[in-house]
Amino acid sequence: MPTPADPPTPESVPVPERLPAVGHRLDLLDESGRPVTVIRLKDGTIELHVEGTTTVLDATSARSLGMLASGHFLVRPELLARADAVLGGLELDWVTVPAGGPAVGRSIAELEFRKRTGVTIVAILRGSVPVVDPDPHQRLEAGDELVVACRAEERAALERFLAGTG
């Protein structure tokens, strides 16, 4: 892993690691070179691990931190909690189409994602090219990142479906 002072290269940019049935893990270095591990659990909770100390952020606080860190926009935590109550747990998330899975080479319409899993595909990230509001005839490729609107149980159903196990 590069030191914090090294200029980023495509190979040095940290990439989240998928933790099946748990969430995602991202290993970083702080500016002094200490390892920092961030784990995003499937319920939206964030665990920050630094030198044997763990800090846990609830899902609302984790989203607020993520928005602040990304620089996109800041939403007060009470507004996020209200949105959660109104939307009933609806989330925007992404799932990778696995190589060799049953979805590769097939269209969104052919796969009937919404009917089979309850998930709505909002966009597809194919490398650096976003396909926003994809046409139902859009065929999927291995490695595509599907941006989806769903609830946690629907996301789990989608992951099983993409893996060919459900």
Side-chain angles (χ1 to χ4, degrees), residues 12-28:
S12 70
V13 174
V15 176
E17 170 191 356
R18 183 177 220 163
L19 301 173
V22 175
H24 290 83
R25 172 187 173 139
L26 183 63
D27 292 311
L28 306 167

Side-chain angles (χ1 to χ4, degrees), residues 89-164:
L90 188 66
E91 301 174 354
L92 283 176
D93 208 342
W94 63 92
V95 178
T96 303
V97 176
V104 175
R106 297 175 68 192
S107 73
I108 295 170
E110 185 181 356
L111 292 163
E112 300 180 309
F113 283 108
R114 185 161 177 107
K115 180 179 175 184
R116 292 179 190 212
T117 67
V119 169
T120 298
I121 298 175
V122 178
I124 300 171
L125 303 176
R126 184 167 289 151
S128 62
V129 179
V131 179
V132 180
D133 192 20
D135 181 277
H137 302 291
Q138 176 74 49
R139 295 201 175 278
L140 301 180
E141 297 177 9
D144 280 353
E145 294 281 338
L146 304 180
V147 180
V148 298
C150 61
R151 291 180 172 73
E153 63 274 8
E154 295 164 343
R155 184 182 193 286
L158 175 64
E159 289 177 329
R160 289 190 302 274
F161 179 67
L162 289 172

